[in-house]
Amino acid sequence: MKSWLIFVIILTEFCFVDSTVSFLQKSKDEILELRNNISQTNTFEQGKADLIFLLDESGSLSITNFYDEKRFVRNLLNNIFVAKEATRVEVIPFATKAERYIDYISNFNHDLEQSKCTFNVKFGKLEFWSGLTNMHDAFKLAYEVVGGKDSGAKRKKNVLTVLILISDGLWNEGGDPAKWANKLKSLKTEIFTVAVGAYTVHQTLKSLATSSEHAFYLSNFDQFKELAVYIRGGKFKYVFRSKVVQR
């Protein structure tokens, strides 16, 4: 009987996250209105955002899961114009440790080329690490970008900041990430969580997200255009430039 009870407890701890994101099931105009309602005093600029991805590369996930994470990022950015004057992107992968792999938000070098082309080249080289799951340090690094020691290049006025965590929610290194997630929320950062893997810690992902509607499951999420509109706002006026990118 005791063994059966333990099994039930473990089974209820790991479950699937509801993939329904009801506030994205609206018209474009309604989504833009929701986006502006995040700020109680100011309207966010259209076509601009600062977007941070936290990518789980720990051993509780498979390399196939990791490729799914990268595919999600690419699919979302297909609908977003990446540039200094439009949407800037930061990528923080984490396993036993966390690091800023792509630093288009926190980098102080204003001569640095920031485009979809340069992003795709470097992002394509990101490899699977395996190891423990230090979600704590990933959120801490994100906080340093938004409001801490590395926030000097952060656009603070009327620009929406969005963080997307892609993980199974099972952290086992560095401590509880909730402290840093809450600090980010206090700075008006919108936090989405995307569940990946065979099993996910549902309650952790929901608690880290801005709301339960901000938590969904990767395998059957297809609202990339709607989420892109929510993040970036109205379309940015594209400026086409030719650039030689070293591979």
Side-chain angles (χ1 to χ4, degrees):
M1 178 63 70
K2 289 184 179 179
S3 298
W4 182 82
L5 288 173
I6 292 173
F7 173 76
V8 171
I9 291 171
I10 293 174
L11 184 61
T12 55
E13 176 67 15
F14 296 90
C15 56
F16 295 112
V17 175
D18 185 359
S19 64
T20 302
V21 189
S22 61
F23 68 81
L24 292 179
Q25 296 173 343
K26 301 179 184 295
S27 70
K28 179 180 178 181
D29 288 342
E30 289 173 321
I31 292 173
L32 290 174
E33 184 177 353
L34 284 172
R35 180 182 190 268
N36 289 332
N37 287 340
I38 302 168
S39 175
Q40 297 177 354
T41 57
N42 297 310
T43 300
F44 289 116
E45 290 190 51
Q46 299 299 310
K48 293 186 178 181
D50 281 346
L51 175 57
I52 303 171
F53 291 100
L54 306 187
L55 302 184
D56 190 342
E57 298 188 354
S58 64
S60 60
L61 297 174
S62 68
I63 192 167
T64 300
N65 297 146
F66 172 64
Y67 290 147
D68 288 339
E69 293 182 44
K70 295 184 73 174
R71 188 177 301 110
F72 178 95
V73 172
R74 290 193 180 100
N75 286 342
L76 180 59
L77 292 184
N78 281 340
N79 298 281
I80 293 176
F81 183 33
V82 176
K84 293 177 185 178
E85 63 272 25
T87 296
R88 304 186 306 177
V89 181
E90 198 97 356
V91 176
I92 302 175
F94 64 94
T96 304
K97 63 178 183 178
E99 69 172 21
R100 287 198 302 271
Y101 181 75
I102 293 177
D103 57 356
Y104 288 178
I105 300 174
S106 60
N107 195 313
F108 289 85
N109 181 4
H110 296 292
D111 295 327
L112 177 69
E113 173 69 15
Q114 297 183 6
S115 68
K116 189 76 65 66
C117 291
T118 56
F119 177 90
N120 286 339
V121 169
K122 185 163 186 180
F123 189 65
K125 297 176 181 177
L126 180 61
E127 297 180 349
F128 183 59
W129 291 349
S130 192
L132 300 176
T133 312
N134 194 341
M135 195 182 298
H136 172 279
D137 283 6
F139 271 97
K140 183 178 179 181
L141 281 178
Y143 173 79
E144 298 295 354
V145 171
V146 176
K149 65 182 180 65
D150 299 311
S151 63
K154 178 74 180 70
R155 300 179 294 192
K156 301 182 187 301
K157 186 177 180 180
N158 298 341
V159 175
L160 176 62
T161 301
V162 173
L163 181 147
I164 299 179
L165 166 69
I166 311 179
S167 173
D168 59 8
L170 181 61
W171 57 266
N172 54 16
E173 176 73 4
D176 192 341
K179 169 187 173 182
W180 297 105
N182 290 333
K183 283 179 174 287
L184 284 160
K185 292 173 188 176
S186 72
L187 296 176
K188 308 300 182 184
T189 302
E190 287 273 298
I191 299 179
F192 291 86
T193 59
V194 183
V196 62
Y199 297 98
T200 61
V201 185
H202 176 73
Q203 204 56 40
T204 296
L205 293 170
K206 283 185 66 175
S207 65
L208 292 172
T210 294
S211 74
S212 59
E213 286 191 323
H214 287 66
F216 44 92
Y217 199 71
L218 184 148
S219 66
N220 49 12
F221 178 81
D222 61 1
Q223 296 168 297
F224 291 102
K225 289 183 179 179
E226 292 84 353
L227 181 56
V229 169
Y230 188 80
I231 292 170
R232 69 162 199 260
K235 287 186 177 180
F236 184 85
K237 182 179 180 181
Y238 284 76
V239 178
F240 293 95
R241 297 181 293 262
S242 61
K243 179 75 175 181
V244 176
V245 178
Q246 298 296 326
R247 294 185 177 273

